[in-house]
Amino acid sequence: VARLHLEELYRLHPEIEEECIEKPIIISGLPRTGTSHLFNLLSRDESLHWIPYWETLSPFPAPNERSPDGRVKAGSENWCIPKFAAMHEYQNDWPHEELQLQMQSFIGLGFEAFLIVPSYTKWYRKADRAPSYSYLKRCLKALQYLRGGERKRWLLKCPEHLANIPHLVREFPNATYVQTHRDPVRIVVSMSTMVAYSSRMNLKAGCGTDMARHWSARTEDLLRSSVADRHHFPKGQIIDIHFDQFMSDMKGSVRQILEHAGHEYTAATDERIDRFLVDNPPGKHGRIDYRAAMSSLGIDGEERKRSRKRWLLKCPEHSMNIPHLVREFPDATYVQTHRDPVQISASISTMLAYATRMNLKAGCGTDMARHWSGMTEDMLRSSIVDRPHFPKGQVIDVHFDQFMSDMKGTVQQILEHAGHEYTVETEGRIDAFLADNPPGKHGKIDYRAAMSSLGID
């Protein structure tokens, strides 16, 4: 019905197509990372457009509608689950995510929050989801027209955006994107508990556990997508907000976001945020014991941590066996390192000639050096000949000089290419390792002299 109303509105007012959605501010964080509370605080800025809850359910008037009062009233009568507000409070006139608008395109994660339909999940993963974002922009143009065409910036928010970053950026290329972060295990536990509880309206008794497990996996899908596709965000247009940072300084986070977006943080906005925080203190509707919920739903926090770990492997021999490597690990990310072949040959030959002194009689080091000089060239040729076997998009090249000049940047580049988050904790551990293991810690080798003594030209 909403789609029919939208198309009728465009038919009656074709000028809607000329509406521009200018520089929206889009919160694209994972669920349960503080996005709703952040959304509420940002919406205290009256110079921004946003969509209230009732309007996400019934966004467009029927052709003969005289007043939106009926649609507003319908939104206020929607909920009948008493503990939901303790997990995720929102009111009929508070800003709400555009999830319901995207569901009107029949392509949306929202359906999976109400029902367990494995065939739909499988279809969604493979579907072209670009039409969902074209439809969302079409909706926003109509909603802006209904607001008198006032060219305010839009404030948007939906976790589903993380599964569709390329489509989001294509439709809103000049946006400011806000990505929120939190311990992934806590996200999974919180989201699974909330969805399991709310699904009691739709599913038979006992299915909450199935819903929790489904969303445990789905949340991890969103996390991986958010890392793998992060590079699609235009440089300089994304800002990261960590959950603990936001909770310790809410107004400071709002100010930081608006300033990053080139939008003024006013005294009036500051005052309205203060008023909202006083009226809506933490725990206003009670608190949820998520540890107990985890237990009743069969979610093991430690198991979820283990499930997120990936193997890190390394062996030069792989370069001679790329087809076999890919056959056994088809979904891997492959890192191919490069250096001047002469320097490689000199370095490996010297090292092995020295190491074999424990196993070979005196004088055989030169033979070992020559053998590995040839083997190194064999590996180089194989790595070039068999490179097409690497799946498209799953290999990243790292050059020696590039790595040596920016080690941490290279690590971050590899992890992001692999769809794996580069965290502040990882960076701290790298810094500690580099401080403990500086170049030349155990001396330096004169490879030119070694080459000469081994007869390598």
Side-chain angles (χ1 to χ4, degrees), residues 168 204 213:
L168 178 71
K204 65 182 181 180
R213 287 174 180 160

Side-chain angles (χ1 to χ4, degrees), residues 54-106:
W54 67 265
E55 199 172 29
T56 66
L57 299 178
S58 186
F60 309 113
N64 58 350
E65 181 182 280
R66 294 175 179 268
S67 165
D69 290 350
R71 290 185 287 138
V72 174
K73 184 180 178 182
S76 66
E77 297 172 345
N78 191 58
W79 287 102
C80 56
I81 40 180
K83 294 183 180 179
F84 193 79
M87 304 180 197
H88 180 59
E89 183 191 7
Y90 55 89
Q91 297 181 15
N92 205 29
D93 58 350
W94 283 11
H96 194 68
E97 59 196 31
E98 50 274 15
L99 185 72
Q100 277 85 353
L101 292 182
Q102 293 184 267
M103 288 171 67
Q104 292 166 19
S105 72
F106 302 104

Side-chain angles (χ1 to χ4, degrees), residues 13 18 26 46 58 69 87 95 101 161 167 178 293 331 400 403 436-437:
H13 303 283
E18 304 304 316
I26 304 176
E46 293 185 341
S58 186
D69 290 350
M87 304 180 197
L101 292 182
H161 297 330
H167 308 310
V178 182
D331 61 347
F400 182 79
F403 171 58
D436 292 341
N437 299 276

Side-chain angles (χ1 to χ4, degrees), residues 3 98-114 120 132 135 160:
R3 286 181 68 116
E98 50 274 15
L99 185 72
Q100 277 85 353
L101 292 182
Q102 293 184 267
M103 288 171 67
Q104 292 166 19
S105 72
F106 302 104
I107 310 170
L109 276 179
F111 294 112
E112 296 184 45
F114 303 108
Y120 181 84
S132 174
Y135 182 78
E160 184 173 358

Side-chain angles (χ1 to χ4, degrees), residues 113-285:
F114 303 108
L115 298 167
I116 301 174
V117 184
S119 58
Y120 181 84
T121 300
K122 184 177 179 180
W123 173 83
Y124 178 91
R125 282 179 169 143
K126 295 181 179 180
D128 175 13
R129 300 193 289 273
S132 174
Y133 283 82
S134 300
Y135 182 78
L136 172 60
K137 190 170 185 178
R138 187 170 172 81
C139 288
L140 292 176
K141 285 184 174 184
L143 291 172
Q144 184 166 282
Y145 177 82
L146 292 171
R147 285 161 168 74
E150 189 176 2
R151 292 288 179 88
K152 291 182 178 181
R153 294 174 76 169
W154 279 92
L155 177 62
L156 306 173
K157 169 248 176 185
C158 189
E160 184 173 358
H161 297 330
L162 292 181
N164 299 285
I165 292 173
H167 308 310
L168 178 71
V169 172
R170 186 176 303 117
E171 295 297 336
F172 306 104
N174 61 354
T176 294
Y177 305 94
V178 182
Q179 191 163 2
T180 51
H181 305 270
R182 190 184 185 185
D183 175 357
V185 174
R186 292 189 178 188
I187 295 171
V188 166
V189 169
S190 182
M191 182 64 182
S192 300
T193 302
M194 184 184 74
V195 176
Y197 177 73
S198 63
S199 67
R200 298 192 309 169
M201 295 191 298
N202 310 307
L203 304 178
K204 65 182 181 180
C207 287
T209 300
D210 297 329
M211 180 62 86
R213 287 174 180 160
H214 174 77
W215 270 96
S216 177
R218 272 323 238 149
T219 303
E220 290 178 12
D221 287 345
L222 288 174
L223 174 61
R224 292 191 177 96
S225 293
S226 72
V227 179
D229 290 335
R230 183 181 166 96
H231 65 279
H232 288 282
F233 285 127
K235 190 174 181 180
Q237 290 176 224
I238 184 168
I239 180 171
D240 295 285
I241 299 293
H242 292 265
F243 183 79
D244 293 338
Q245 164 201 347
F246 171 56
M247 295 306 291
S248 65
D249 185 9
M250 296 182 190
K251 290 201 296 181
S253 297
V254 171
R255 179 191 291 271
Q256 184 183 1
I257 290 166
L258 291 179
E259 289 180 351
H260 188 84
H263 195 88
E264 185 181 7
Y265 180 84
T266 65
T269 297
D270 190 84
E271 182 181 337
R272 283 190 288 271
I273 289 175
D274 281 336
R275 193 157 54 244
F276 182 88
L277 292 174
V278 169
D279 293 341
N280 300 278
K284 177 181 177 180
H285 299 283

